[in-house]
Amino acid sequence: MDKVLHKKALPKWLKELESYEIYAPQENDDLWSFELVKSFEFLDSNYSNCIQSPKKIIFPQTETLLKFERLENGKLEVEEQLPEDRKKVIFGVRPCDAKALTLMDKVFTGDFEDLYYTKRRNQTTLVGLGCNTPPSPQCFCVSVGGSPHSNEGLDILMTDLEDKYYLQSFTAKGNELLILGKNIFEEPNPDEKSMLKRIHQEAKNKFKTKLREIEKIPDKLKGMFDSSFWDEEAMSCIRCGICTYLCPTCHCFDINDEVYSTSSLRGKRIRTWDTCQFPDFTMHSSGHNPRPDKASRLRQRIFHKFQYFVEKFNAYQCTGCGRCISKCPVGIDITEILEKVKNYGS
Amino acid sequence: MAFLCKWCSSAGSDLAGVSRMEYPPNAVPITVMCSGSVSPLYIFNAFKRGADGVLVSGCHPGDCHYIKGNYYARRRIALVKKLLEFIGLEPQRFQMSWVSAAEGLKYTQIIKDFVKEIKPLGPQTKLRREK
Amino acid sequence: MVNPEELKNEAKKALKEGKVKYIIGYRKKPEESMATPAFIRRAEDSEILIWDPTCVHNLVRFLSDEKRRRKREKNPEQRPVGIVIKGCDSRAINVLLQEKFIAREDVYLIGISCEDNGVIDEKKLRKKLNGRKAKRVDFKEGQELIIETEEGKIFLPAKEILAERCLECKVNFPIVYDVLLGDKTKRKPEKEFASVEKFDSLSTSQKWDFWKNQLEKCIRCYACRSVCPMCYCDECVVDTISFAVSADTTAEEKANKIKWIEKSPVLSENIVYHMVRAIHLAGRCVDCGECERACPVNIPLRLLNNKMEKEAKELFGYEAGLDSQQPSLVACFRDEDPQDFIR
């Protein structure tokens, strides 16, 4: 379903969506993040992208899996805490972040369905905002098989046509939102359709593709596991967790029991994000750590994204959002490392 | 939550009990070997688990069983107190005192005053963790 | 003004003479405006070293990696590590020397004076340029900076884009060094602890509202900890990894294991993490500002650490990193330490 919406009519559409929990980019002290909001100021401002992707709404950084309590009769009660039924809409999702969710879907619905993830995922409608110009100088979605107006993972894609938005709906969930808008929308005319095509084509050309021929990388990596290449590249890494926590595709997690009282026993089992960059990520309870140094951890990150994931799911676990590059405190650039990998040994 | 050093303050609180002095039952005493051994982690965790107030009490300067422990405590607790105030916790909720083994009466007075000061503030919800 | 060629020559000399194992300095990637840390081992690589207002990083941070590397090697090489340091970084060296984390002969210090300038705050620069991209930033005489963009050069008064900590800098040339480049220009800093005093004038509930909003944002990426030269503990209080689990460890024991700070990034845990870090850094923080710069969600961490710095100075007459022979703040005491807060 294709529709056109005049920018001034946007608040009217919002009113019709009151049955949904609405998330949109919200600015706070120069920092954009997806929050529960009632205003759409981001559409008029110099919004580029939120510091954290919508992953944090569908796969929250901390969530309770179950509660446990030893009752007075001595019985241990365990209660699953699945997410409650709540329809959500997230506006302002860039195509790279939406594609990232399709990659996470492969992990959480593969051999085993993670109900905590799928429940939220299925109840969330994603309304994307296409990138007429690259949001950040570090964007490289086109290098990893993405595109600034891709609809992968999106239910609706909004393209900015100066004074209006061209809305394209690709799923039943997206259609539902458009139907709720009733006659706020207009049917697109041929001029608008050709403007859309033009904008989409021009946008692709504006991306300076730093990284090319990425297909060569998975095989190259296979022969580099024991190389000292990683020691040199990881010299400036400070092993914080920024690259992984801001990455829209990273999904490793830790499960801990938070015990609130030991007599009588009461607590929660909580899942939180974890990162392969922390030294104790692979620490065994025997004390052995198979990845004791920064080099092995950096290698793990690159391999996971561009070798293991490719072998398992036939896709790169990276959508080119560029957050890891712009927020790394020491300026480590994944595209630079990948270029070096590609040319390694030649 | 009252962290009392074993040699002076805890003994002082025992004296108050043995002498049948009356004072509010709100203080949960924890005996530590020395006020200097009270780590900021104990204090922050006490508040995290819902303590409405925390008291650290040790021997008077010069009387420490371990000679210098209470001097270190004096420094460290001063820093913790300033930090808690800076975060926005009401200053009355965190206090320190010197109570010797003979000062049972002083101990009861300290607890009485403490309870009187923090009761009007209500329960401590800022640093308390959510269930 | 410091001539970057001098820096390259000093590095080249040290490497050629075999004085150092490698040198930690700054380099710049061709497309980027900000410097990044560089590790050079061969004398000819010294050509990539730079010195300009984008050299914000505190390279002393990498000395803890060097120490860990040495621990893992069977026959560790004993030559020192060369490191390029600014005034603030030299204070960090002093603190590490004072705590005997490193020995003086483990480092070869190439000191550079910021003279009357400092390093920039990238966020301020970006705001000033309003969409234009900076290709490079250079020092200029008279407290000015030259910013080169695609459209040409812009001259800005340094004050407008220098990092906040540089505006409050007390030590703008290294106080410990093996080689010093640049003049020991004494600088008149702005009023000491001005931002802390301003914050202290707020009411208790205003302070709480401020910190509640700020610390709710924390995602516990631990970048603040990772980038700090003084946070070198092998096991941090948040990690609690040393809990030996044997075949006989009961569920009871596991449940009773002391975990000071839970992993979930909820407000209560975030507050304890940041407060404990502030206390652990009391009397050790040298205000290099890296924690605040690295934070991806813009939490004003300097404010917390500066408060501890202020209290250390006012209550105990203590300043971190000026004397490598002084005892640490909480391992010493004076008879006249204030005790008016004690009943």
Side-chain angles (χ1 to χ4, degrees):
Chain A
M1 208 191 282
D2 281 10
K3 299 273 182 209
V4 165
L5 174 70
H6 281 269
K7 284 192 178 176
K8 283 180 272 191
L10 192 56
K12 286 198 222 150
W13 186 25
L14 189 52
K15 271 203 120 197
E16 303 298 331
L17 303 177
E18 271 167 358
S19 58
Y20 290 83
E21 240 175 38
I22 302 177
Y23 291 85
Q26 174 92 330
E27 190 189 6
N28 183 8
D29 193 25
D30 234 8
L31 200 73
W32 290 97
S33 75
F34 286 107
E35 306 290 342
L36 215 51
V37 286
K38 301 242 183 268
S39 90
F40 279 140
E41 284 158 9
F42 79 98
L43 289 168
D44 293 321
S45 67
N46 58 346
Y47 169 67
S48 56
N49 205 352
C50 289
I51 185 71
Q52 284 192 287
S53 69
K55 164 179 98 161
K56 75 169 191 179
I57 297 169
I58 296 181
F59 179 55
Q61 188 166 2
T62 177
E63 64 176 327
T64 309
L65 299 180
L66 47 90
K67 283 191 181 156
F68 50 87
E69 187 172 349
R70 191 176 292 282
L71 305 171
E72 275 173 22
N73 56 16
K75 199 160 150 267
L76 186 64
E77 180 185 77
V78 176
E79 211 183 286
E80 198 178 43
Q81 302 286 306
L82 281 175
E84 49 174 39
D85 281 302
R86 199 72 183 85
K87 287 193 305 182
K88 300 186 173 85
V89 185
I90 311 179
F91 282 89
V93 180
R94 295 294 188 185
C96 50
D97 288 342
K99 183 173 175 200
L101 283 171
T102 66
L103 296 173
M104 282 183 65
D105 289 342
K106 294 183 202 279
V107 175
F108 287 99
T109 61
D111 312 313
F112 171 81
E113 187 187 337
D114 185 322
L115 287 173
Y116 296 90
Y117 175 85
T118 52
K119 208 161 183 240
R120 286 201 181 92
R121 179 83 168 97
N122 295 339
Q123 291 174 358
T124 308
T125 310
L126 296 167
V127 179
L129 180 64
C131 312
N132 294 5
T133 56
S136 141
Q138 279 87 15
C139 284
F140 60 100
C141 61
V142 287
S143 303
V144 280
S147 115
H149 288 97
S150 154
N151 60 295
E152 244 184 295
L154 286 172
D155 297 295
I156 295 179
L157 174 69
M158 279 168 68
T159 307
D160 191 327
L161 296 182
E162 264 144 63
D163 59 334
K164 9 186 158 88
Y165 292 110
Y166 196 105
L167 294 147
Q168 292 166 287
S169 169
F170 303 97
T171 66
K173 272 198 271 177
N175 291 347
E176 224 175 278
L177 282 193
L178 290 183
I179 291 170
L180 281 174
K182 297 182 242 206
N183 26 26
I184 303 174
F185 305 115
E186 289 172 4
E187 292 305 314
N189 62 41
D191 281 331
E192 287 158 351
K193 285 194 190 160
S194 58
M195 193 176 176
L196 180 81
K197 243 187 160 154
R198 188 176 45 84
I199 289 181
H200 282 193
Q201 190 50 49
E202 282 174 4
K204 260 198 220 136
N205 298 335
K206 289 194 186 143
F207 279 74
K208 289 189 275 189
T209 46
K210 327 188 237 182
L211 182 61
R212 295 169 200 272
E213 298 180 308
I214 199 174
E215 329 71 65
K216 297 188 177 166
I217 290 177
D219 280 325
K220 226 21 194 307
L221 283 175
K222 269 208 194 124
M224 286 174 72
F225 192 83
D226 294 310
S227 160
S228 60
F229 170 80
W230 306 107
D231 291 296
E232 272 310 307
E233 292 306 313
M235 277 300 263
S236 51
C237 175
I238 57 171
R239 30 102 127 186
C240 64
I242 288 183
C243 52
T244 46
Y245 279 179
L246 298 186
C247 173
T249 66
C250 277
H251 50 262
C252 284
F253 55 84
D254 194 8
I255 297 182
N256 284 303
D257 284 343
E258 287 190 8
V259 177
Y260 296 126
S261 135
T262 46
S263 56
S264 56
L265 183 66
R266 187 169 50 89
K268 283 193 207 167
R269 181 156 290 180
I270 297 200
R271 170 163 74 180
T272 56
W273 290 353
D274 205 352
T275 163
C276 51
Q277 303 303 300
F278 283 163
D280 55 345
F281 182 70
T282 45
M283 170 78 93
H284 298 172
S285 44
S286 63
H288 172 63
N289 189 347
R291 291 188 208 136
D293 56 346
K294 299 188 294 184
S296 50
R297 296 192 287 265
L298 177 65
R299 177 188 63 195
Q300 157 64 16
R301 187 164 153 250
I302 305 292
F303 266 69
H304 191 179
K305 289 185 176 295
F306 292 94
Q307 217 281 304
Y308 305 147
F309 207 83
V310 175
E311 265 188 31
K312 190 156 185 199
F313 298 113
N314 206 17
Y316 305 107
Q317 199 202 333
C318 171
T319 55
C321 71
R323 287 181 178 97
C324 58
I325 305 174
S326 55
K327 288 297 174 184
C328 175
V330 290
I332 294 183
D333 185 336
I334 195 173
T335 56
E336 208 184 289
I337 296 179
L338 290 170
E339 272 296 315
K340 288 189 192 168
V341 166
K342 214 173 56 174
N343 302 325
Y344 186 72
S346 46
Chain B
M1 202 100 264
F3 293 97
L4 310 173
C5 97
K6 166 177 169 178
W7 307 97
C8 290
S9 299
S10 189
S13 73
D14 283 345
L15 180 59
V18 161
S19 315
R20 297 286 186 262
M21 299 185 202
E22 284 195 13
Y23 61 97
N26 308 60
V28 176
I30 295 185
T31 303
V32 295
M33 294 308 284
C34 177
S35 51
S37 74
V38 174
S39 159
L41 282 167
Y42 303 172
I43 301 162
F44 297 147
N45 258 270
F47 281 121
K48 195 174 78 160
R49 284 164 199 257
D52 299 311
V54 172
L55 172 73
V56 175
S57 185
C59 312
H60 286 264
D63 295 344
C64 179
H65 184 87
Y66 303 100
I67 322 291
K68 306 182 277 190
N70 53 355
Y71 289 116
Y72 293 133
R74 187 167 63 180
R75 268 220 172 173
R76 199 180 300 138
I77 302 298
L79 290 172
V80 172
K81 189 156 172 45
K82 290 284 181 183
L83 184 60
L84 283 170
E85 280 172 31
F86 196 68
I87 286 283
L89 187 71
E90 295 89 346
Q92 305 91 312
R93 293 197 186 271
F94 179 56
Q95 295 183 18
M96 183 170 180
S97 62
W98 300 137
V99 169
S100 81
E103 290 179 311
L105 190 62
K106 180 175 180 191
Y107 181 71
T108 62
Q109 197 55 54
I110 288 178
I111 299 295
K112 276 190 196 141
D113 291 341
F114 204 148
V115 173
K116 205 162 74 164
E117 277 167 32
I118 64 173
K119 243 203 168 96
L121 300 174
Q124 186 269 119
T125 51
K126 292 176 181 172
L127 302 181
R128 189 177 64 187
R129 72 170 160 192
E130 286 182 34
K131 302 292 179 52
Chain C
M1 284 217 315
V2 174
N3 182 354
E5 290 305 313
E6 280 179 53
L7 171 63
K8 295 182 195 176
N9 290 337
E10 285 296 335
K12 221 178 284 195
K13 200 167 76 170
L15 284 167
K16 245 202 195 101
E17 293 171 8
K19 235 195 224 152
V20 291
K21 223 172 10 170
Y22 58 86
I23 294 187
I24 313 174
Y26 302 96
R27 70 172 169 114
K28 193 200 285 289
K29 291 187 239 183
E31 307 254 306
E32 302 298 320
S33 50
M34 299 295 286
T36 54
F39 299 82
I40 55 175
R41 297 171 203 276
R42 304 178 302 176
E44 54 269 29
D45 290 337
S46 314
E47 281 305 311
I48 65 170
L49 289 180
I50 60 155
W51 169 246
D52 67 25
T54 67
C55 296
V56 296
H57 313 75
N58 188 340
L59 299 174
V60 179
R61 155 62 180 80
F62 295 107
L63 292 179
S64 55
D65 288 339
E66 172 58 25
K67 198 159 181 213
R68 286 195 185 103
R69 217 170 282 132
R70 275 199 195 176
K71 217 166 47 164
R72 279 201 299 268
E73 287 167 13
K74 285 216 166 62
N75 292 318
E77 213 202 299
Q78 297 301 331
R79 277 187 302 171
V81 169
I83 179 169
V84 173
I85 54 171
K86 310 187 283 286
C88 40
D89 307 337
S90 70
R91 279 175 72 194
I93 293 273
N94 264 341
V95 175
L96 295 183
L97 288 172
Q98 166 194 320
E99 297 178 350
K100 304 203 171 26
F101 182 70
I102 54 171
R104 183 65 181 84
E105 56 270 17
D106 288 337
V107 287
Y108 179 73
L109 305 168
I110 304 176
I112 304 193
S113 165
C114 290
E115 294 179 322
D116 235 344
N117 251 313
V119 294
I120 63 166
D121 180 337
E122 195 190 354
K123 296 182 183 115
K124 282 189 193 174
L125 177 65
R126 228 180 311 163
K127 248 200 176 122
K128 262 267 152 31
L129 292 182
N130 202 8
R132 292 171 289 176
K133 189 168 177 220
K135 292 210 308 216
R136 52 179 297 150
V137 185
D138 283 298
F139 287 114
K140 188 176 176 290
E141 296 281 5
Q143 294 192 310
E144 272 204 316
L145 296 176
I146 313 171
I147 296 126
E148 203 182 296
T149 67
E150 256 140 20
E151 291 112 27
K153 294 197 181 161
I154 313 174
F155 298 86
L156 280 178
K159 264 182 105 167
E160 292 183 13
I161 55 172
L162 278 188
E164 279 302 309
R165 61 175 171 102
C166 292
L167 297 173
E168 301 168 11
C169 174
K170 291 185 273 207
V171 177
N172 64 325
F173 54 84
I175 50 178
V176 56
Y177 52 84
D178 287 300
V179 153
L180 179 63
L181 304 169
D183 301 317
K184 292 189 183 185
T185 328
K186 266 249 167 268
R187 202 173 152 198
K188 218 163 49 98
E190 304 191 344
K191 180 157 178 286
E192 221 183 6
F193 305 127
S195 43
V196 173
E197 279 174 18
K198 191 161 150 230
F199 189 81
D200 259 331
S201 64
L202 297 175
S203 75
T204 301
S205 53
Q206 281 172 317
K207 286 182 190 155
W208 171 248
D209 286 333
F210 178 82
W211 286 114
K212 178 169 180 289
N213 282 328
Q214 294 295 340
L215 294 180
E216 263 173 348
K217 294 192 283 181
C218 178
I219 59 173
R220 304 273 286 283
C221 62
Y222 298 134
C224 47
R225 172 188 79 169
S226 302
V227 84
C228 177
M230 257 57 85
C231 279
Y232 54 70
C233 291
D234 283 327
E235 185 185 336
C236 177
V237 71
V238 287
D239 290 334
T240 52
I241 49 181
S242 63
F243 181 70
V245 173
S246 72
D248 301 321
T249 313
T250 63
E252 203 82 47
E253 288 172 325
K254 285 189 200 168
N256 284 332
K257 172 180 111 172
I258 298 173
K259 251 204 274 171
W260 296 116
I261 301 173
E262 302 287 355
K263 197 148 183 179
S264 43
V266 292
L267 180 65
S268 58
E269 310 302 314
N270 295 350
I271 291 181
V272 178
Y273 164 65
H274 286 287
M275 285 206 292
V276 166
R277 193 166 165 269
I279 291 281
H280 284 179
L281 287 174
R284 304 169 70 223
C285 171
V286 295
D287 201 15
C288 67
E290 281 288 87
C291 46
E292 193 169 287
R293 179 187 73 87
C295 180
V297 291
N298 297 352
I299 298 177
L301 295 166
R302 276 186 67 237
L303 196 55
L304 267 179
N305 291 316
N306 284 354
K307 169 69 175 173
M308 291 285 98
E309 225 189 303
K310 174 172 179 275
E311 296 307 328
K313 181 142 192 223
E314 292 180 0
L315 297 179
F316 312 119
Y318 192 93
E319 280 185 275
L322 297 180
D323 175 8
S324 66
Q325 302 304 314
Q326 67 183 351
S328 29
L329 175 66
V330 287
C332 66
F333 57 87
R334 300 181 305 185
D335 283 325
E336 61 270 26
D337 275 347
Q339 55 176 34
D340 47 358
F341 64 96
I342 305 178
R343 302 217 165 170

